[in-house]
Amino acid sequence: MRFPKIAAASAVVLLAAACGGGADSEGGGDADSLTVWVMGTSQPPLVEYFDGAEARFKENNPDVDVNVEFIPWPDAQESITNALAGGDAPDVIEIGNDQVSGWASQGALLDITEKVEGWDAAAEIDQNALEYGTYDGVQYGVPWFSGVRTLYYRADWLKELGHEPPATWDELVTVAEDIKDEYDVPGFAAPTDFTNGIASFIWSNGGEIAVQNDAGEWEGKLTDPAAVEAVEFYASLTTDGISPQGYVGENELVPLADMANGQVGMYIDGGWALGSMEEQAENPDILEDIVAAPIPGADGIAPAFAGGSALSVFSTTQHPDLAFELLTVLGDQEGGKGYADTAGFFPAYPDLLAEDEYQKDPDRVAAATQMQHTSFFPSTPRWTAADQDNKILPGAVLEIVNGGDPEEVLAAANEQLTEILNEPVE
């Protein structure tokens, strides 16, 4: 198996000739090799995983090699855009699960609806995650792995205070206040530029961000009472002094550094944050006392955005049938679990999450539990414009923290959200 070393520039990948200019009705005929684009950087455990995946694929296709090319996440946009323009293109590609609809709308991904319907493993995948891989009712992506955010907390401090990890909003406030009183640091961090965190509070209160009606139009739901109450509560964590002013306008990276150095008692982030904490901790011993728990909601565990990646067949492949067969090898229970475990995520198969390796491992149990309480952002290419470009939710929270009337702020935000989500897809 070939693993080109793709460094900072995706141009290295794009120098080669294109894989092909379109699929034929018979699946492309004979193939010597298939190419998979994986987002990230090559690491020995990942190389070993793909060696095993290639061996499985070759059981039925002994004459077909599998070439894996690693594309750094910052270069993904340019790489895929160039592939669409006729540059080097993959047969199978990893796509962020919140990017499937966007790339599908631009013609980068192949319609795999019928193939997925005939794939037995599809019935075992998280059905909400599978639905998130559709665009306009067409299946373009299959969940590969998932990752969620959880609540990180100082276990030693909570033990000394006689508290369990907070499971509700009321408990979150109580524990945070006690941490501040006892240790003279903020008890909880609520950065305002944090859509994922804000969304969890909305979802936990029974609210939604936006829904699609029967006519296919998007309707913002930020003015619904459940959403208003949740956003007000999240903003109040700052205005009431639970979370410090220093996190206003910031994302979760600032409290990450503070958590690693004993300057905050609790904050929300993903499992991937632990590596950054190790790099930033001045006293590594502190990390032994940082533990995770599910995110507290209004009355129990809050849903978290089920981040992760999907596997798709690239639209220009000359071998669509073989490409989908390779996708199934990577994405079935064996392949999906194998990659998730290797890369530090979770498989997209709910039944697997009940196994002891997830439920009894203290380093994984919180996220495994959280994985059973998830939700998704609006499945539309326009979500990127609403969130990343216009920061509608973070902007609303920021305005409220700075003194804006919650109902007025959210009414304006909801109007903007509805307008953007319904704009034509270019």
Side-chain angles (χ1 to χ4, degrees), residues 18-98:
C19 286
D24 64 35
S25 61
E26 299 300 321
D30 295 334
D32 296 323
S33 66
L34 295 177
T35 297
V36 180
W37 278 8
V38 180
M39 301 302 149
T41 55
S42 175
Q43 301 171 23
L46 297 179
V47 172
E48 183 178 352
Y49 164 81
F50 283 108
D51 281 340
E54 182 183 40
R56 287 185 63 208
F57 181 71
K58 278 180 169 288
E59 290 175 5
N60 292 325
N61 305 281
D63 298 324
V64 183
D65 294 329
V66 177
N67 300 324
V68 178
E69 298 183 359
F70 288 87
I71 311 295
W73 276 108
D75 299 333
Q77 176 90 17
E78 180 184 357
S79 298
I80 299 172
T81 299
N82 278 286
L84 276 172
D88 182 39
D91 297 284
V92 177
I93 186 170
E94 174 190 357
I95 296 284
N97 67 347
D98 59 345

Coordinates of all heavy atoms in Angstrom, one line a residue, residues 18-98:
A18 N -5.2 13.1 -13.3 CA -6.5 12.8 -12.7 C -6.8 11.3 -12.7 O -6.3 10.6 -13.6 CB -7.6 13.6 -13.4
C19 N -7.5 10.9 -11.7 CA -7.9 9.5 -11.6 C -8.8 9.1 -12.8 O -8.9 8.0 -13.2 CB -8.6 9.1 -10.3 SG -7.4 9.1 -8.9
G20 N -9.7 10.0 -13.2 CA -10.6 9.7 -14.3 C -11.6 10.8 -14.5 O -11.8 11.7 -13.7
G21 N -12.3 10.7 -15.6 CA -13.2 11.8 -15.9 C -14.7 11.4 -15.9 O -15.5 11.9 -16.7
G22 N -15.0 10.4 -15.1 CA -16.5 10.1 -15.0 C -16.6 8.6 -14.9 O -15.8 7.8 -15.4
A23 N -17.8 8.2 -14.4 CA -18.1 6.7 -14.2 C -18.9 6.2 -15.4 O -19.8 6.9 -15.9 CB -18.8 6.5 -12.9
D24 N -18.7 5.0 -15.7 CA -19.6 4.4 -16.7 C -20.6 3.5 -16.0 O -20.5 3.2 -14.8 CB -18.8 3.6 -17.8 CG -18.1 2.4 -17.2 OD1 -18.6 1.8 -16.3 OD2 -17.0 2.1 -17.7
S25 N -21.6 3.1 -16.7 CA -22.7 2.4 -16.1 C -22.4 1.0 -15.6 O -23.1 0.4 -14.8 CB -23.9 2.2 -17.2 OG -23.4 1.5 -18.3
E26 N -21.2 0.4 -16.0 CA -20.8 -0.9 -15.6 C -19.9 -0.8 -14.4 O -19.3 -1.9 -14.0 CB -20.2 -1.6 -16.7 CG -21.1 -1.8 -17.9 CD -22.4 -2.6 -17.5 OE1 -22.3 -3.6 -16.8 OE2 -23.5 -2.3 -18.0
G27 N -19.6 0.4 -13.9 CA -18.7 0.5 -12.8 C -17.3 0.7 -13.1 O -16.4 0.7 -12.3
G28 N -17.0 1.0 -14.4 CA -15.6 1.4 -14.8 C -14.7 0.3 -15.3 O -13.6 0.6 -15.6
G29 N -15.2 -0.9 -15.3 CA -14.3 -1.9 -15.9 C -13.2 -2.3 -14.9 O -13.3 -2.1 -13.7
D30 N -12.1 -2.8 -15.5 CA -11.0 -3.3 -14.7 C -10.3 -2.1 -14.1 O -10.1 -1.0 -14.6 CB -10.0 -4.1 -15.5 CG -10.6 -5.4 -16.0 OD1 -11.5 -5.9 -15.4 OD2 -10.2 -5.9 -17.1
A31 N -9.7 -2.3 -12.9 CA -8.9 -1.3 -12.2 C -7.7 -1.9 -11.6 O -7.7 -3.0 -11.1 CB -9.8 -0.7 -11.1
D32 N -6.6 -1.2 -11.7 CA -5.3 -1.7 -11.1 C -5.2 -1.2 -9.6 O -4.6 -1.8 -8.8 CB -4.1 -1.1 -11.9 CG -4.0 -1.7 -13.3 OD1 -4.4 -2.9 -13.4 OD2 -3.7 -0.9 -14.2
S33 N -5.9 0.0 -9.4 CA -5.8 0.5 -8.0 C -6.9 1.5 -7.8 O -7.5 2.0 -8.7 CB -4.4 1.3 -7.9 OG -4.4 2.4 -8.7
L34 N -7.2 1.7 -6.5 CA -8.1 2.8 -6.1 C -7.4 3.7 -5.2 O -6.5 3.3 -4.4 CB -9.4 2.1 -5.4 CG -10.3 1.3 -6.2 CD1 -11.4 0.7 -5.4 CD2 -10.9 2.0 -7.4
T35 N -7.8 4.9 -5.2 CA -7.2 5.9 -4.3 C -8.2 6.4 -3.2 O -9.3 6.7 -3.5 CB -6.7 7.1 -5.1 OG1 -5.7 6.7 -6.0 CG2 -6.1 8.2 -4.2
V36 N -7.7 6.5 -2.0 CA -8.5 7.0 -0.9 C -7.9 8.2 -0.4 O -6.6 8.2 -0.1 CB -8.6 6.0 0.3 CG1 -9.5 6.5 1.4 CG2 -9.2 4.6 -0.2
W37 N -8.6 9.3 -0.2 CA -8.1 10.5 0.5 C -8.6 10.5 1.9 O -9.8 10.4 2.2 CB -8.6 11.8 -0.2 CG -7.8 12.1 -1.4 CD1 -6.8 11.4 -2.0 CD2 -8.0 13.3 -2.2 NE1 -6.4 12.1 -3.1 CE2 -7.0 13.3 -3.3 CE3 -8.8 14.4 -2.1 CZ2 -6.9 14.3 -4.2 CZ3 -8.7 15.5 -3.1 CH2 -7.8 15.4 -4.1
V38 N -7.7 10.6 2.8 CA -7.9 10.6 4.2 C -7.5 11.9 4.8 O -6.4 12.4 4.5 CB -7.2 9.5 5.0 CG1 -7.5 9.5 6.5 CG2 -7.6 8.1 4.4
M39 N -8.3 12.6 5.6 CA -8.0 13.9 6.1 C -7.1 13.8 7.3 O -7.4 13.0 8.2 CB -9.2 14.7 6.4 CG -10.1 14.9 5.2 SD -9.3 15.8 3.8 CE -10.1 15.1 2.4
G40 N -6.0 14.5 7.4 CA -5.1 14.5 8.5 C -3.7 14.2 8.0 O -3.4 14.3 6.9
T41 N -2.9 13.6 8.9 CA -1.5 13.3 8.6 C -1.2 11.9 8.9 O -1.9 11.2 9.7 CB -0.5 14.2 9.4 OG1 -0.8 14.0 10.8 CG2 -0.7 15.7 9.1
S42 N -0.3 11.3 8.1 CA 0.0 9.9 8.2 C 0.7 9.6 9.6 O 1.6 10.3 10.0 CB 1.0 9.5 7.1 OG 1.4 8.2 7.2
Q43 N 0.3 8.6 10.3 CA 0.9 8.1 11.5 C 1.0 6.6 11.5 O 0.1 5.9 10.9 CB 0.0 8.6 12.7 CG -0.2 10.1 12.8 CD -1.2 10.4 13.8 OE1 -1.5 9.7 14.8 NE2 -1.8 11.6 13.7
P44 N 2.0 6.0 12.1 CA 2.2 4.6 12.0 C 0.9 3.7 12.3 O 0.6 2.8 11.6 CB 3.3 4.3 13.0 CG 4.1 5.6 13.0 CD 3.1 6.7 12.8
P45 N 0.2 4.0 13.4 CA -1.0 3.2 13.6 C -2.1 3.3 12.5 O -2.8 2.3 12.2 CB -1.6 3.8 14.9 CG -0.5 4.5 15.6 CD 0.3 5.1 14.4
L46 N -2.2 4.5 11.8 CA -3.1 4.6 10.7 C -2.6 3.8 9.5 O -3.4 3.2 8.8 CB -3.3 6.1 10.3 CG -3.9 7.0 11.4 CD1 -4.0 8.4 10.9 CD2 -5.2 6.5 11.8
V47 N -1.3 3.8 9.3 CA -0.7 3.0 8.2 C -1.0 1.5 8.4 O -1.4 0.8 7.5 CB 0.8 3.2 8.1 CG1 1.4 2.3 7.1 CG2 1.1 4.7 7.7
E48 N -0.9 1.1 9.6 CA -1.2 -0.3 10.0 C -2.7 -0.6 9.7 O -3.0 -1.7 9.2 CB -0.8 -0.6 11.4 CG -1.0 -2.0 11.8 CD -0.6 -2.3 13.3 OE1 0.0 -1.4 13.9 OE2 -0.8 -3.4 13.8
Y49 N -3.5 0.3 10.1 CA -5.0 0.1 9.9 C -5.3 -0.1 8.4 O -6.0 -1.0 8.0 CB -5.8 1.3 10.4 CG -7.2 1.3 9.9 CD1 -8.2 0.5 10.4 CD2 -7.5 2.1 8.8 CE1 -9.5 0.5 9.9 CE2 -8.8 2.2 8.3 CZ -9.8 1.4 8.8 OH -11.1 1.3 8.3
F50 N -4.7 0.8 7.6 CA -5.0 0.7 6.1 C -4.4 -0.5 5.5 O -4.9 -1.0 4.5 CB -4.6 2.0 5.4 CG -5.6 3.1 5.7 CD1 -5.3 4.2 6.5 CD2 -6.8 3.1 5.1 CE1 -6.2 5.2 6.7 CE2 -7.8 4.1 5.3 CZ -7.4 5.2 6.1
D51 N -3.3 -0.9 6.0 CA -2.7 -2.2 5.5 C -3.7 -3.3 5.7 O -3.9 -4.2 4.8 CB -1.4 -2.5 6.3 CG -0.2 -1.7 5.8 OD1 -0.3 -1.3 4.6 OD2 0.8 -1.6 6.5
G52 N -4.3 -3.3 6.9 CA -5.3 -4.4 7.2 C -6.5 -4.2 6.3 O -7.1 -5.2 5.9
A53 N -7.0 -3.0 6.1 CA -8.1 -2.7 5.3 C -7.9 -3.2 3.8 O -8.7 -3.8 3.2 CB -8.5 -1.2 5.3
E54 N -6.7 -2.9 3.3 CA -6.3 -3.3 2.0 C -6.4 -4.8 1.9 O -6.8 -5.4 0.9 CB -5.0 -2.8 1.6 CG -4.6 -3.2 0.1 CD -3.2 -2.7 -0.3 OE1 -2.3 -2.8 0.6 OE2 -3.1 -2.3 -1.4
A55 N -5.8 -5.5 2.9 CA -5.8 -7.0 2.9 C -7.3 -7.5 2.8 O -7.6 -8.5 2.1 CB -5.1 -7.5 4.1
R56 N -8.2 -6.9 3.6 CA -9.6 -7.3 3.5 C -10.2 -7.1 2.1 O -10.9 -7.9 1.6 CB -10.4 -6.6 4.5 CG -10.2 -7.0 6.0 CD -11.2 -6.2 6.9 NE -12.6 -6.6 6.6 CZ -13.6 -5.8 6.8 NH1 -13.4 -4.6 7.2 NH2 -14.8 -6.2 6.5
F57 N -9.9 -5.9 1.6 CA -10.4 -5.6 0.2 C -9.9 -6.6 -0.8 O -10.6 -7.0 -1.7 CB -10.0 -4.2 -0.1 CG -10.5 -3.7 -1.4 CD1 -11.9 -3.5 -1.7 CD2 -9.7 -3.5 -2.5 CE1 -12.4 -3.0 -2.9 CE2 -10.1 -3.1 -3.7 CZ -11.5 -2.8 -3.9
K58 N -8.6 -7.0 -0.7 CA -8.0 -7.8 -1.7 C -8.5 -9.3 -1.6 O -8.3 -10.1 -2.5 CB -6.5 -7.8 -1.5 CG -5.8 -6.6 -2.2 CD -4.3 -6.7 -2.0 CE -3.6 -5.6 -2.8 NZ -3.6 -6.0 -4.2
E59 N -9.2 -9.6 -0.6 CA -9.8 -10.9 -0.5 C -10.7 -11.2 -1.7 O -10.8 -12.3 -2.2 CB -10.5 -11.1 0.8 CG -9.6 -11.2 2.0 CD -10.4 -11.3 3.4 OE1 -11.6 -11.4 3.3 OE2 -9.7 -11.2 4.4
N60 N -11.5 -10.1 -2.1 CA -12.4 -10.2 -3.2 C -11.8 -9.6 -4.5 O -12.3 -9.8 -5.6 CB -13.7 -9.6 -2.9 CG -14.5 -10.4 -1.8 OD1 -14.4 -11.6 -1.8 ND2 -15.2 -9.7 -1.0
N61 N -10.7 -8.8 -4.3 CA -10.2 -8.0 -5.4 C -8.7 -8.1 -5.4 O -8.0 -7.1 -5.1 CB -10.6 -6.6 -5.4 CG -12.1 -6.4 -5.3 OD1 -12.8 -6.5 -6.3 ND2 -12.6 -6.2 -4.1
P62 N -8.1 -9.3 -5.6 CA -6.7 -9.5 -5.4 C -5.8 -8.7 -6.3 O -4.6 -8.5 -5.9 CB -6.5 -11.0 -5.7 CG -7.7 -11.4 -6.5 CD -8.8 -10.5 -6.1
D63 N -6.3 -8.2 -7.4 CA -5.4 -7.5 -8.3 C -5.5 -6.0 -8.2 O -5.0 -5.3 -9.1 CB -5.7 -7.9 -9.8 CG -5.5 -9.4 -10.0 OD1 -4.5 -9.9 -9.4 OD2 -6.2 -10.0 -10.8
V64 N -6.3 -5.5 -7.2 CA -6.5 -4.1 -7.1 C -5.8 -3.6 -5.8 O -6.1 -4.0 -4.7 CB -8.0 -3.8 -7.0 CG1 -8.2 -2.2 -6.9 CG2 -8.8 -4.4 -8.2
D65 N -4.9 -2.6 -6.0 CA -4.2 -2.0 -4.9 C -5.0 -0.9 -4.4 O -5.8 -0.3 -5.0 CB -2.8 -1.5 -5.3 CG -1.9 -2.6 -5.8 OD1 -2.0 -3.7 -5.2 OD2 -1.0 -2.4 -6.6
V66 N -4.7 -0.5 -3.1 CA -5.4 0.6 -2.5 C -4.3 1.6 -2.1 O -3.4 1.3 -1.3 CB -6.2 0.2 -1.2 CG1 -6.8 1.4 -0.5 CG2 -7.2 -0.8 -1.5
N67 N -4.4 2.8 -2.7 CA -3.4 3.9 -2.4 C -4.1 4.9 -1.5 O -5.2 5.4 -1.8 CB -3.0 4.6 -3.7 CG -2.4 3.6 -4.7 OD1 -1.7 2.7 -4.3 ND2 -2.7 3.8 -6.0
V68 N -3.5 5.1 -0.4 CA -4.0 6.1 0.6 C -3.2 7.4 0.6 O -1.9 7.3 0.7 CB -4.0 5.5 2.0 CG1 -4.5 6.5 3.0 CG2 -4.9 4.2 2.0
E69 N -3.8 8.5 0.4 CA -3.2 9.8 0.4 C -3.8 10.6 1.6 O -5.0 10.8 1.7 CB -3.3 10.5 -0.9 CG -2.7 9.7 -2.1 CD -2.8 10.5 -3.4 OE1 -3.4 11.6 -3.4 OE2 -2.3 10.0 -4.4
F70 N -2.9 11.1 2.4 CA -3.3 11.9 3.6 C -3.3 13.4 3.2 O -2.3 13.9 2.7 CB -2.4 11.7 4.8 CG -2.6 10.4 5.4 CD1 -1.9 9.2 4.9 CD2 -3.5 10.2 6.4 CE1 -2.1 8.0 5.5 CE2 -3.7 9.0 7.0 CZ -3.0 7.9 6.6
I71 N -4.4 14.1 3.4 CA -4.6 15.5 3.0 C -4.8 16.2 4.3 O -5.8 16.0 5.0 CB -5.8 15.7 2.1 CG1 -5.8 14.7 0.9 CG2 -5.9 17.2 1.7 CD1 -4.7 14.9 0.0
P72 N -3.9 17.1 4.7 CA -4.1 17.9 5.9 C -5.4 18.7 5.9 O -5.8 19.2 4.8 CB -2.9 18.9 5.9 CG -1.9 18.2 5.1 CD -2.6 17.5 4.0
W73 N -6.2 18.7 7.0 CA -7.5 19.3 7.0 C -7.5 20.8 6.4 O -8.4 21.1 5.7 CB -8.0 19.3 8.4 CG -8.7 18.1 8.8 CD1 -8.3 17.1 9.7 CD2 -10.0 17.6 8.4 NE1 -9.2 16.1 9.8 CE2 -10.2 16.4 9.0 CE3 -10.9 18.1 7.5 CZ2 -11.4 15.6 8.8 CZ3 -12.1 17.3 7.3 CH2 -12.3 16.1 7.9
P74 N -6.5 21.6 6.7 CA -6.5 23.0 6.2 C -6.4 23.0 4.7 O -6.8 24.0 4.0 CB -5.2 23.6 6.8 CG -5.0 22.8 8.0 CD -5.4 21.4 7.7
D75 N -5.9 21.9 4.0 CA -5.8 21.9 2.6 C -7.0 21.2 1.9 O -7.0 21.1 0.7 CB -4.5 21.1 2.2 CG -3.3 21.8 2.8 OD1 -3.3 23.0 3.0 OD2 -2.3 21.1 3.0
A76 N -7.9 20.7 2.7 CA -9.0 19.9 2.1 C -9.8 20.7 1.1 O -10.1 20.2 0.0 CB -9.9 19.4 3.2
Q77 N -10.2 21.9 1.4 CA -11.0 22.7 0.5 C -10.3 22.9 -0.9 O -10.9 22.7 -1.9 CB -11.2 24.1 1.1 CG -12.0 25.1 0.2 CD -13.5 25.0 0.4 OE1 -13.9 24.5 1.4 NE2 -14.2 25.6 -0.5
E78 N -9.0 23.3 -0.8 CA -8.3 23.5 -2.1 C -8.1 22.2 -2.9 O -8.3 22.1 -4.1 CB -6.9 24.1 -1.8 CG -6.1 24.3 -3.0 CD -4.7 24.8 -2.7 OE1 -4.4 25.1 -1.5 OE2 -3.9 25.0 -3.7
S79 N -7.8 21.1 -2.1 CA -7.6 19.8 -2.8 C -8.9 19.3 -3.5 O -8.8 18.9 -4.7 CB -7.2 18.8 -1.8 OG -6.0 19.1 -1.2
I80 N -10.0 19.4 -2.8 CA -11.3 19.0 -3.5 C -11.7 19.9 -4.6 O -12.1 19.4 -5.7 CB -12.4 18.9 -2.4 CG1 -12.0 17.9 -1.3 CG2 -13.7 18.5 -3.0 CD1 -12.9 17.8 -0.1
T81 N -11.5 21.2 -4.4 CA -11.8 22.1 -5.5 C -11.0 21.8 -6.7 O -11.5 21.8 -7.9 CB -11.6 23.6 -5.0 OG1 -12.4 23.8 -3.9 CG2 -11.9 24.5 -6.1
N82 N -9.7 21.6 -6.5 CA -8.8 21.3 -7.7 C -9.2 19.9 -8.3 O -9.1 19.8 -9.5 CB -7.4 21.2 -7.2 CG -6.7 22.6 -7.2 OD1 -6.4 23.2 -8.2 ND2 -6.6 23.1 -6.0
A83 N -9.6 19.0 -7.5 CA -10.0 17.7 -8.1 C -11.3 17.8 -8.9 O -11.4 17.2 -10.0 CB -10.3 16.7 -6.9
L84 N -12.2 18.7 -8.5 CA -13.4 19.0 -9.3 C -13.0 19.7 -10.6 O -13.7 19.5 -11.6 CB -14.3 19.9 -8.5 CG -15.3 19.2 -7.6 CD1 -16.0 20.2 -6.7 CD2 -16.2 18.3 -8.3
A85 N -11.9 20.4 -10.6 CA -11.5 21.2 -11.8 C -10.7 20.3 -12.8 O -10.3 20.8 -13.8 CB -10.7 22.4 -11.4
G86 N -10.5 19.0 -12.4 CA -9.8 18.1 -13.3 C -8.5 17.7 -12.8 O -7.7 17.0 -13.6
G87 N -8.1 18.0 -11.6 CA -6.9 17.6 -11.0 C -6.9 16.2 -10.5 O -7.9 15.5 -10.7
D88 N -5.9 15.8 -9.8 CA -5.8 14.5 -9.2 C -7.0 14.3 -8.3 O -7.3 15.2 -7.5 CB -4.5 14.4 -8.4 CG -4.4 13.0 -7.8 OD1 -4.7 12.0 -8.4 OD2 -3.9 13.0 -6.6
A89 N -7.7 13.2 -8.4 CA -9.0 13.0 -7.6 C -9.0 11.6 -7.1 O -8.4 10.7 -7.6 CB -10.2 13.2 -8.5
P90 N -9.6 11.4 -5.9 CA -9.7 10.1 -5.3 C -10.9 9.3 -5.9 O -11.7 9.8 -6.6 CB -9.9 10.4 -3.8 CG -10.8 11.6 -3.9 CD -10.3 12.4 -5.1
D91 N -10.9 8.0 -5.5 CA -12.1 7.2 -5.7 C -13.0 7.3 -4.5 O -14.3 7.4 -4.6 CB -11.7 5.8 -6.0 CG -10.9 5.7 -7.3 OD1 -11.5 5.8 -8.4 OD2 -9.7 5.6 -7.2
V92 N -12.4 7.2 -3.3 CA -13.1 7.2 -2.0 C -12.5 8.4 -1.2 O -11.3 8.6 -1.2 CB -13.0 5.9 -1.2 CG1 -13.7 6.0 0.1 CG2 -13.6 4.8 -2.0
I93 N -13.4 9.2 -0.5 CA -12.9 10.3 0.2 C -13.5 10.5 1.5 O -14.7 10.1 1.7 CB -13.1 11.6 -0.7 CG1 -12.5 12.8 0.0 CG2 -14.6 11.8 -0.9 CD1 -12.5 14.1 -0.9
E94 N -12.7 10.9 2.5 CA -13.3 11.2 3.8 C -13.7 12.7 3.8 O -13.0 13.6 3.3 CB -12.2 11.1 4.9 CG -12.6 11.6 6.3 CD -11.5 11.6 7.3 OE1 -10.4 11.2 7.0 OE2 -11.8 12.1 8.4
I95 N -14.9 13.0 4.3 CA -15.5 14.3 4.3 C -16.0 14.6 5.7 O -16.6 13.7 6.3 CB -16.7 14.4 3.3 CG1 -16.2 14.3 1.9 CG2 -17.4 15.8 3.5 CD1 -15.5 15.4 1.3
G96 N -15.8 15.7 6.3 CA -16.4 16.1 7.5 C -17.9 15.9 7.4 O -18.5 16.3 6.4
N97 N -18.5 15.3 8.4 CA -19.9 15.0 8.3 C -20.8 16.3 8.1 O -21.9 16.2 7.6 CB -20.4 14.1 9.4 CG -20.4 14.8 10.8 OD1 -19.8 15.9 11.0 ND2 -21.0 14.2 11.8
D98 N -20.3 17.4 8.6 CA -21.1 18.6 8.3 C -20.8 19.3 7.0 O -21.3 20.4 6.7 CB -20.8 19.6 9.5 CG -19.3 20.0 9.6 OD1 -18.5 19.3 9.0 OD2 -19.0 21.0 10.3

